Structure formats: structure tokens, C-alpha cells
Amino acid sequence: MLKLWNQEAVDWRLALRTEMEGAGSRLSVEADGKTATLWVGLGDAETVTAETVRRAAAKGIKTLKGLGAKTVVLDPAAAQTLLHQEGIDAMAQGAALALYRPRSWKTEEQTDMTLYMESALPSEESNSLTEAICLARDLVNCPANHLVPADLARTMTETARTYGVETEIISAEQARALGMEAFLTVGDSAGHAPCLIVLRYRGGAPDQAPIGLVGKGVTCDTGGYCLKPASSMKGIKGDMAGAAAVFGALLALARNKVPVNATVVIPSVENRIAPDSFIPGDVIGSMSGKTIEIGNTDAEGRLILADAITYALRKEGVGRVLDIATLTGAVVGMFGFTTAGFLCNDEAYCTDFMEAAAVSGEQYWRLPAFDEYRKMIESPVADVSNVSNDGCGTITAGLFLEAFTESHPWLHIDIAGTAWVDSPKWEYQTNGATGAAVTTLYHLCKAMAKEA
């Protein structure tokens, strides 16, 4: 957490300037004999947003880190003048996220830069969101052998309870009694048992139906018998970024006591190869009663999410459903690593989501859901196929999940391109997990609190 500067000796001051063209890219240095100041350009004052400030601050911090700075004071004057508290928050968050380092198992750790804020501090809400993003990054960056489903469940429940969140873990045996065959088909044959993680935050009225946040929690995804190529194997530990996103958002809601009810449901499994693992051509059941033909064992995320959605609707009584997952490689082909795709069956819900994204600064693009796409997941032997028979992989993956939403308002987000970057696309990212969607989900739920 950032401290207010109290005239301690520092190496550098980081300040922002609107007179400099090229937002976030123009830098200049001034020195007064004691402390050098790095100025970062914001561009035209009339076009400055919180995202501009966030990126400029991160750019400055990374530059100072490269120069070997150990202590830095952030001067938020320009951001505060333009955007008030929002500007202070954005500057602090951009700087903190740029300094993020994943946990290391090295025997010697490097020391972190010390940051101070001059004259004003970020809000508690902003601090909680920054910490939630970093926690989501930590989970996604964690090696798979240090984060099996039971580890994920323990970490989430222990942390959530400290903020008054009700927790429950549904074991494989309990899931079997509930008829969650799609979920168990993926996780049952792994060496580490699957579990369903349920987190309930009740900040709203008792009669307010909670929003259901369903996050994919595959802690290790080999692809099963449809084995992934070796070149992509190092990233298979991050196939639980959807779970990390909903968890981070819920923690921020609880810490800030947002008056809304939200239930997180995370199906957590490993998708490995074993003698009794599922194979293409299998036909399985699901908690909903629908049957599913398996076309590809690497399309496992939608199977576990289908049962988790049914659980959220039938057992948790959620009113709206939002599922989020690193679901398809096809979304990267469409949008690269800066934009996530989404589908939605409710216009008001879609509007709320896009307004939340505008606040967070994250980029999303709505995908079409024409009837001909639904025909692509028809099966001759089951109610639905888990893969398309004619392309449109991202859209059809989402529409597969729509088949389990029982006509409730629903929104599906595919963050396969935005949850992880080998090379940062935005200045406040670092190599690895990004913490994608935490802030957008938080602001979506916060907006729902105002509507209630």
C-alpha cells in the first residue's frame, strides 16, 4: 500500500504533464540538485482519461525501474486537477501494477522499489481493486504443481472468510449426487480431485436475487487425449484466469461493502490424460439433464462451466448469470491480446456491462449470436456437441453455454487473449497474468447495486 510522502529522501519524483504531446510516450528529466524529476506526457488535457493516467504512470515507473531507482514519490497534481480523486487513483494503480512481480521460488529475491504519494492518497476502493488484480495475477501465475484444485479452494475460502464471505466446497462425491456428469467427466480421472468452489457475498437486500459469477477453474489443462502442442504447454497453468477474475471481483465487493448480492461458482479441475479419461465420440450427461457429444477433449472448459451454470441457477437462485473463461484460441485470432470477446442475450445487461468496461478501461467486443451459429453445435446423437462442426469457435463455445442458462439474462466473456501476455500490451502489465476483468466485473456488480 502506498504511503503519503513525508519529506523522506527519495531518488526520483514522477510527475505528469499535459503540455507534452504523445500521451504516455514523451519523457523528460529535470534535476534540482537533490531529486531528479521524470515528467511523462499526458497529451491534450481535454482527452485525458483515467486510462491515460494509468498508462502514463506505469510508463514512468518502468522507466525509473530501468534506471535503477529505489525510492520514488508520485506527484498526482496534474491527474488530480484533471480528474480529481479518479486521477489520483489511476496514477497510483498504474504505478503499483507496473511494479507487480509474481511469486518466485528463487533462493535470492530482488528488492522492490518503494513508492510514496505526494499530497494525496488513492481511495480505499482503488487500493482494494489494485490488490484484487494482483491477487488474481498471483493465482494465474502460480505453477500447476503448487495450485491443484484443493489448493485453489483453500486459498480462496480462507481469504474470502476474512471479509465475511460465506464459503462452501462441493466435493466430487457431492457433485456426483447432484448429477454433475459434465463437470466430473473432465476432473474425475485426474490425480487431484475436482471440487466446486462456492462463495456468497450478501451485501444487498435479503430478497435481492444474487448475480451469479461463474469462472472457469482448470488449474492444469493438457488438452486430454486431444493433447496440446508442446510449445503451448507452459501456459496450461493459467487456464483458471476466469476463476481468478470472479474471485478478485468478489473480494473487492466485500472489502468495499458494496450493497449487492453476488455468488461466485468456480468448477475447479485438472484436465489430464488417464486410462479412463474421456475421449472424442463419448456421449455424457449433465446436471441440467441435457446430453453432450464430445468432439474434442480440449474443449473441456465449457463442460465444467455448463454444470456450474446449472448449479448457480438451481441451487443458488441467481437472477443473472455471467460466465468468464480462457475458453478458445479462436478469440485471439479475432482480437489479439488487447480485447476480449463476449456474448449476451439481454440488451440491458449488455449496456450495464459496457458501461462497467468504460469505467475500468478494459476493452471488449460483442459477438453476434445468429441462429445459424447454434446449428453448428447440433449433434446427431446428443442434445448438443461441445465443438462446432463448421468453425466460429469462439461464438459457438459461448452458445454451447447459453444452452444451459434456462432463459435467464446471461453474459459470456472469453478472456483467452487478455488474461496472459508474454509481452505487455499496456504499460501497467507485466509478463504473465494480467488480472483481466477483475475491475470490470466489480464495476458491473456495483452498478447493479445502484439499480436495486
Side-chain angles (χ1 to χ4, degrees):
M1 186 166 301
L2 294 175
K3 301 184 224 176
L4 196 63
W5 187 51
N6 192 28
Q7 304 301 313
E8 293 95 338
V10 294
D11 299 331
W12 287 85
R13 172 182 275 105
L14 175 63
L16 310 178
R17 204 177 248 174
T18 54
E19 307 94 88
M20 296 170 65
E21 297 180 359
S25 59
R26 295 296 181 88
L27 307 172
S28 69
V29 176
E30 294 178 3
D32 60 7
K34 295 181 181 179
T35 302
T37 299
L38 177 69
W39 294 94
V40 184
L42 287 173
D44 188 343
E46 295 182 358
T47 64
V48 172
T49 65
E51 182 69 2
T52 311
V53 173
R54 204 160 19 240
R55 293 177 62 181
K59 174 75 172 182
I61 285 296
K62 285 187 174 180
T63 301
L64 292 176
K65 185 176 180 180
L67 293 172
K70 300 298 182 184
T71 53
V72 177
V73 59
L74 307 178
D75 179 0
Q80 185 175 13
T81 298
L82 293 170
L83 301 173
H84 311 293
Q85 185 63 47
E86 184 182 19
I88 299 168
D89 291 347
M91 186 174 191
Q93 186 175 81
L97 293 179
L99 281 182
Y100 168 83
R101 285 192 299 115
R103 179 185 173 188
S104 170
W105 281 261
K106 291 184 176 183
T107 54
E108 293 185 10
E109 288 286 352
Q110 67 185 73
T111 57
D112 291 321
M113 181 189 294
T114 300
L115 290 182
Y116 299 95
M117 289 290 290
E118 184 175 358
S119 73
L121 286 172
S123 65
E124 286 304 308
E125 179 180 52
S126 178
N127 281 335
S128 70
L129 281 169
T130 301
E131 290 178 19
I133 293 167
C134 291
L135 178 54
R137 289 181 178 184
D138 284 342
L139 290 171
V140 178
N141 282 325
C142 190
N145 64 320
H146 290 275
L147 196 72
V148 302
D151 296 327
L152 183 66
R154 182 176 59 255
T155 297
M156 289 185 168
T157 55
E158 289 178 355
T159 306
R161 285 174 193 149
T162 64
Y163 298 105
V165 173
E166 180 185 339
T167 68
E168 183 178 2
I169 304 300
I170 307 297
S171 68
E173 291 71 23
Q174 292 171 302
R176 190 166 289 107
L178 290 167
M180 302 182 75
E181 186 178 346
F183 167 62
L184 294 171
T185 290
V186 180
D188 249 356
S189 61
H192 299 104
C195 61
L196 191 75
I197 305 165
V198 183
L199 310 173
R200 306 179 186 98
Y201 168 65
R202 297 295 179 260
D207 61 346
Q208 179 191 72
I211 180 174
L213 304 175
V214 181
K216 177 184 175 184
V218 180
T219 60
C220 170
D221 180 21
T222 68
Y225 275 98
C226 298
L227 189 66
K228 293 179 182 292
S231 60
S232 69
M233 279 290 185
K234 194 173 180 181
I236 64 177
K237 65 183 181 181
D239 209 12
M240 34 63 66
V246 296
F247 176 60
L250 192 80
L251 283 189
L253 291 172
R255 287 185 61 176
N256 292 304
K257 296 180 170 56
V258 177
V260 70
N261 296 330
T263 298
V264 159
V265 179
I266 295 168
S268 186
V269 302
E270 292 182 327
N271 185 25
R272 292 183 181 262
I273 298 173
D276 58 346
S277 294
F278 69 124
I279 59 174
D282 285 354
V283 175
I284 65 172
S286 66
M287 185 179 178
S288 71
K290 292 181 185 292
T291 56
I292 303 166
E293 180 185 13
I294 303 302
N296 190 316
T297 63
D298 197 24
E300 86 298 331
R302 65 204 71 179
L303 299 178
I304 66 172
L305 288 170
D307 272 352
I309 288 170
T310 301
Y311 180 90
L313 291 170
R314 296 186 181 179
K315 297 299 181 180
E316 298 295 326
V318 304
R320 300 188 196 183
V321 179
L322 182 148
D323 73 80
I324 179 168
T326 45
L327 206 62
T328 69
V331 77
V332 183
M334 283 194 285
F335 300 132
F337 299 95
T338 64
T339 306
F342 77 98
L343 291 95
C344 187
N345 67 355
D346 184 276
E347 294 307 314
Y349 198 6
C350 180
T351 298
D352 288 345
F353 176 73
M354 290 307 293
E355 289 176 352
V359 175
S360 74
E362 294 184 310
Q363 295 181 173
Y364 299 89
W365 193 266
R366 189 179 186 182
L367 299 169
F370 301 128
D371 285 341
E372 57 264 33
Y373 296 139
R374 292 182 177 87
K375 293 179 180 178
M376 294 177 185
I377 51 172
E378 291 180 353
S379 165
V381 296
D383 293 321
V384 64
S385 169
N386 81 325
V387 291
S388 167
N389 58 35
D390 194 21
C392 299
T394 299
I395 294 171
T396 53
L399 294 178
F400 173 90
L401 294 171
E402 183 194 38
F404 297 87
T405 58
E406 302 179 7
S407 300
H408 282 71
W410 160 78
L411 195 145
H412 160 73
I413 312 170
D414 193 335
I415 55 170
T418 58
W420 182 280
V421 288
D422 290 324
S423 176
K425 306 306 175 187
W426 309 123
E427 288 82 353
Y428 45 79
Q429 294 177 336
T430 56
N431 292 0
T434 64
V438 170
T439 52
T440 298
L441 298 185
Y442 171 83
H443 288 296
L444 173 65
C445 294
K446 184 178 177 182
M448 289 179 57
K450 294 178 181 177
E451 294 173 4

